[in-house]
Amino acid sequence: MAYVISKHRQRVNVELDTVKTKLQCADDPSISSDLRDYAIAAAIFLAHAEFENYFVDALDGVANTYSHAAPDTSKLPAALRSHLISEKLGLNSVAIKIVARTGEHEVLQCIDKWFSSPDSVLLTGAQPLNHFGGEHIYGDYRYPSIKNIERVLRRIGVGDPKGVLNRQLRRDVIALLESIAGLRTALAHSATLPGVSILDVLARIDGLKHFIEALDRVLYLQVKSTLLDADWQSNMC
């Protein structure tokens, strides 16, 4: 079956179109240039905020899909299973002690706790998967910068995030995200955007919508790699 748009992408498209409609109202000769600049700045911040919400909501949805549809850990992408083992069983803190060759007693105590942990199924794969949320995937990287998106996509098993994203629409969608993200960053640091027009911002919001389409398709392909189309549709649509 073909890709079906997620409910998260549907919602963000509606919100971004609303931002565009309101910004277009400022494209009126009777409106002062100061007020027009405020409208441009507000549209940039609001559009990016809606993308931030989509990123978190979509990953919450992906986690929920695996939690409900995967009969056991064998249906998780290997990279995601490895990440969850590291995240939920505290592997990072143990690894530091092992590498440093210190705290052997603490290391063994931590490993001993794994056997009684409900998340030990991530290691054995023999029992039903415990529920996990999107926060177990994105962790401290919930802000959707390009670097964070790459990191999170690798966690769910996408080996070449930039290449896979660009291939979805056969264009440089990374540049589309960087286009509006760059405006947001400039505003946050200087509070001014000389030379940026309403038409320019409208075009960049459209570019953001294209990036979201590519990301939504990548999430679909990744879910479909171990689960069924029906699982995507019943949990994400």
Side-chain angles (χ1 to χ4, degrees), residues 36-114:
R36 188 176 300 112
D37 288 344
Y38 272 113
I40 288 173
I44 293 167
F45 276 120
L46 287 171
H48 201 277
E50 291 298 342
F51 173 52
E52 294 168 33
N53 291 337
Y54 162 81
F55 185 64
V56 170
D57 291 346
L59 290 172
D60 285 340
V62 168
N64 185 65
T65 301
Y66 282 120
S67 294
H68 284 89
D72 54 56
T73 55
S74 68
K75 286 298 185 179
L76 293 178
L80 177 56
R81 182 178 177 181
S82 299
H83 169 70
L84 290 174
I85 289 172
S86 175
E87 177 77 13
K88 303 190 81 171
L89 296 179
L91 193 59
N92 286 340
S93 61
V94 176
I96 292 172
K97 294 181 183 297
I98 293 174
V99 171
R101 295 176 181 264
T102 60
E104 179 179 326
H105 179 64
E106 290 84 354
V107 169
L108 295 177
Q109 280 187 323
C110 184
I111 293 175
D112 184 58
K113 290 178 182 178
W114 293 354

Side-chain angles (χ1 to χ4, degrees), residues 172-212:
D172 187 356
V173 297
I174 302 299
L176 297 179
L177 175 57
E178 290 174 334
S179 176
I180 193 164
L183 291 183
R184 182 199 176 281
T185 300
L187 268 175
H189 286 88
S190 65
T192 59
L193 284 177
V196 176
S197 69
I198 287 177
L199 288 178
D200 184 32
V201 175
L202 291 172
R204 296 191 194 211
I205 293 175
D206 283 335
L208 178 60
K209 291 175 68 176
H210 288 310
F211 179 86
I212 291 170

Side-chain angles (χ1 to χ4, degrees), residues 126-156:
Q127 300 176 35
L129 179 66
N130 290 322
H131 185 275
F132 66 96
E135 69 275 9
H136 295 114
I137 299 177
Y138 52 75
D140 295 331
Y141 302 97
R142 62 180 292 150
Y143 181 78
S145 65
I146 292 297
K147 287 185 178 179
N148 286 352
I149 291 170
E150 284 188 274
R151 181 188 294 265
V152 169
L153 288 180
R154 286 195 178 97
R155 286 179 174 181
I156 64 172

